[in-house]
Amino acid sequence: MTTIKDIWILQTTADKMAERYNRRCRRLVALYRAGRKVDVHHWDYTDCLRLSMESAQKDLEDAITQQAMAASVR
């Protein structure tokens, strides 16, 4: 059973992951504007951040859905 504290933790995690991914994307844009090449490691790390952000968001949505279904049964 998902508690409100679990949802709060998942919300905080999803926010942090989105913040990290957005910061990384802004960094890549700044590198491109400066005329620097971005190597494969930068792209791989950015892709990992995107996947972790999507995973955290999906976990949060699943927990909220689970909590809503439990509340509707009671």
Side-chain angles (χ1 to χ4, degrees):
M1 174 94 170
T2 306
T3 64
I4 299 298
K5 184 166 181 132
D6 294 335
I7 291 175
W8 179 77
I9 291 169
L10 289 170
Q11 177 67 45
T12 304
T13 303
D15 289 344
K16 287 290 183 185
M17 290 312 218
E19 180 182 323
R20 286 181 186 167
Y21 177 65
N22 290 334
R23 184 174 41 228
R24 183 64 178 186
C25 289
R26 287 192 306 270
R27 174 74 176 141
L28 287 177
V29 169
L31 286 173
Y32 270 117
R33 285 181 150 178
R36 297 178 69 190
K37 297 282 183 173
V38 178
D39 62 357
V40 175
H41 300 291
H42 286 287
W43 287 116
D44 289 344
Y45 184 67
T46 304
D47 195 39
C48 287
L49 284 176
R50 181 185 57 80
L51 291 173
S52 63
M53 180 194 68
E54 290 173 354
S55 176
Q57 187 65 32
K58 185 177 181 315
D59 290 344
L60 175 63
E61 290 171 2
D62 289 345
I64 290 172
T65 303
Q66 196 177 56
Q67 186 72 17
M69 285 194 303
S72 68
V73 171
R74 291 181 189 177

